[in-house]
Amino acid sequence: MAVNLKSTSARDALKPRRNPYFHCLRIGLYVGYRRADEGTGTWIARRLKEGTKSYEFRSLGTLSGYEEAVRLTEAWAGAVDMGITHKAITVDEVCNTWVTHKKTENSKASAADVEGRFNRLVHGKPIGAMPLDKLRTNHLREWLVAQLNEDGDEDDMRRSKNTANRNLAAVKAALNLALKDRLILTDAGWKTVTPYPKASKRRTGDLTSPERAVLLAHCDIQLAALVRTLLLTALRPGEIANANVGDLNKEQGTLTLTGKTGRRLVTLSTTAIEFLKIQAQNKLPSAPLLTDSFGNRWNKDSWKKRFKNAVKAAKLPDEVVMYTLRHVAISEMIAGGVDTFLVARLAGTSTTMIDKHYGHLRHIQTRARLDAVEMI
């Protein structure tokens, strides 16, 4: 007996039962619908095994309607006809296969890198447990967005996008290998998910000395103190915001910081020491070294809008954010001839990161010194 599954009203009129109602698409291929007692029903595909009188089935789950069920049924049947497995391979399994492939075809370090990414972001996560043939573009996009640092400033966001792009590249490589191995018929579930643009843009210190002076002139007293400190130290904004008066050693000229890299001790320039001594005057050791206009410790929410207004008033590019000041200071150190290792230590980062983002300045400086030498 023919069953109408095309409309929602027709499906709702069916009597709930355990066995699905099937509609024949063509000889040997059916799309089925299991009517639930309550809630939305589920879809199932049925195919007559070639050369037999028995059927094989494929659960399609909850879908948008009849048209999607027909499309997935046809895709499944087509994949079987082409010799593509219809076993419920998960993203987890695909990623494991890719790691094995990397160990065989590439270096151990490369394999260890992607394995670490999968351990952090795929294995044990919803995206990892998802059957490959049910992976949709929105699933991968949601996974990508979840990796972004939305609590940070613009530079934090850029860096998190850069990292997310590398993670996406690793997962898409694993998925593409599955496509090549005929574990799935199409790459429609991930092909259109693209990396974030301009996420790996090299950091530069793009504020000239006159521009810095104009910026400081448009800051109130407390904000100017924060801006000046960052320009004098190349510290992260959060590190100086966390600093207490007691963290400043006036005799040794050092500052103990607590932040992204844990606790560390940095040496200050004479100018920075004298400036911070003034900020620490008449304050208890446990008090914040720098405060906002209300005497409270600085945080991202209290400086972000005020700094943006100062940038606008100074007619500087919108891309200038608080984190830019750290990049300006690092650039000036490198251009001034300070050793890369020392700059990395003061800034609380690695020499690799310094070379990657500021190495061009070191080359300019070296070239200037070479040009000053009479070779011939």
Side-chain angles (χ1 to χ4, degrees):
M1 177 180 171
V3 179
N4 180 12
L5 300 178
K6 294 184 178 181
S7 68
T8 302
S9 58
R11 295 193 297 272
D12 288 343
L14 297 173
K15 182 180 180 181
R17 70 182 193 188
R18 179 177 179 79
N19 293 328
Y21 292 92
F22 284 103
H23 174 75
C24 182
L25 299 178
R26 62 175 183 271
I27 297 175
L29 185 63
Y30 304 80
V31 62
Y33 180 77
R34 181 178 285 112
R35 173 80 161 86
D37 290 326
E38 294 182 359
T40 306
T42 56
W43 296 86
I44 188 167
R46 187 175 75 176
R47 178 181 183 275
L48 183 64
K49 292 182 181 179
E50 188 174 353
T52 71
K53 294 183 179 181
S54 61
Y55 289 95
E56 55 186 334
F57 299 85
R58 179 67 168 161
S59 174
L60 303 178
T62 302
L63 303 174
S64 60
Y66 176 78
E67 289 76 13
E68 184 179 10
V70 170
R71 180 176 58 80
L72 293 177
T73 299
E74 294 282 8
W76 168 66
V80 174
D81 290 339
M82 292 174 62
I84 298 174
T85 180
H86 56 273
K87 177 186 175 184
I89 302 292
T90 65
V91 176
D92 254 338
E93 293 173 292
V94 166
C95 288
N96 285 333
T97 300
W98 178 243
V99 170
T100 301
H101 173 78
K102 293 283 282 184
K103 288 178 179 177
T104 304
E105 302 294 330
N106 301 83
S107 68
K108 292 183 179 179
S110 178
D113 176 73
V114 295
E115 187 171 28
R117 295 177 191 277
F118 294 157
N119 286 337
R120 292 190 301 272
L121 298 163
V122 177
H123 301 320
K125 304 295 191 296
I127 192 77
M130 184 164 293
L132 193 57
D133 62 347
K134 292 188 178 180
L135 180 66
R136 302 289 181 267
T137 298
N138 65 295
H139 298 144
L140 201 55
R141 282 192 179 134
E142 289 169 3
W143 172 80
L144 193 65
V145 170
Q147 299 174 46
L148 300 185
N149 181 4
E150 297 181 350
D151 294 328
D153 58 25
E154 284 84 350
D155 195 69
D156 293 326
M157 175 65 83
R158 182 198 61 75
R159 285 184 287 125
S160 67
K161 285 182 177 179
N162 192 24
T163 300
N165 285 349
R166 293 195 293 269
N167 296 331
L168 176 64
V171 170
K172 289 186 72 171
L175 294 171
N176 286 330
L177 179 64
L179 180 66
K180 181 179 178 181
D181 290 344
R182 302 174 71 83
L183 299 178
I184 189 168
L185 182 64
T186 174
D187 59 359
W190 66 86
K191 184 176 182 179
T192 58
V193 182
T194 56
Y196 292 108
K198 300 180 181 180
S200 59
K201 182 180 178 182
R202 185 176 66 190
R203 301 169 182 172
T204 58
D206 53 0
L207 288 182
T208 64
S209 181
E211 287 174 331
R212 294 171 226 163
V214 173
L215 175 61
L216 283 166
H218 285 87
C219 295
D220 58 57
I221 295 176
Q222 288 76 20
L223 183 61
L226 177 60
V227 169
R228 191 178 298 276
T229 301
L230 294 176
L231 289 171
L232 289 172
T233 61
L235 300 179
R236 296 179 179 86
E239 290 178 325
I240 194 62
N242 290 334
N244 293 330
V245 172
D247 294 325
L248 176 66
N249 189 319
K250 301 175 184 178
E251 289 71 31
Q252 292 184 1
T254 59
L255 183 63
T256 300
L257 299 167
T258 303
K260 180 180 179 180
T261 57
R263 287 183 66 82
R264 61 191 179 91
L265 184 70
V266 298
T267 303
L268 301 172
S269 67
T270 301
T271 303
I273 295 168
E274 295 305 316
F275 181 72
L276 291 178
K277 280 182 179 179
I278 295 173
Q279 306 308 310
Q281 285 179 354
N282 304 319
K283 293 181 181 179
L284 296 174
S286 59
L289 181 58
L290 299 178
T291 60
D292 62 17
S293 303
F294 302 99
N296 299 320
R297 188 181 300 277
W298 282 106
N299 60 56
K300 194 162 33 276
D301 292 331
S302 58
W303 77 56
K304 189 171 183 179
K305 185 175 180 179
R306 293 167 67 178
F307 186 78
K308 186 175 182 179
N309 289 338
V311 167
K312 184 177 181 180
K315 298 182 179 179
L316 297 175
D318 292 338
E319 292 76 18
V320 175
V321 295
M322 190 66 77
Y323 219 92
T324 303
L325 305 177
R326 167 178 165 86
H327 302 328
V328 170
I330 292 176
S331 298
E332 291 292 350
M333 289 181 184
I334 296 293
V338 181
D339 180 74
T340 300
F341 176 80
L342 181 56
V343 174
R345 184 174 179 181
L346 294 172
T349 188
S350 66
T351 54
T352 300
M353 293 299 289
I354 293 294
D355 286 337
K356 178 180 178 181
H357 298 292
Y358 306 97
H360 63 294
L361 298 175
R362 180 165 51 81
H363 296 313
I364 292 172
Q365 180 203 48
T366 301
R367 186 176 300 107
R369 290 180 176 180
L370 290 172
D371 290 346
V373 178
E374 293 186 12
M375 300 291 189
I376 299 177

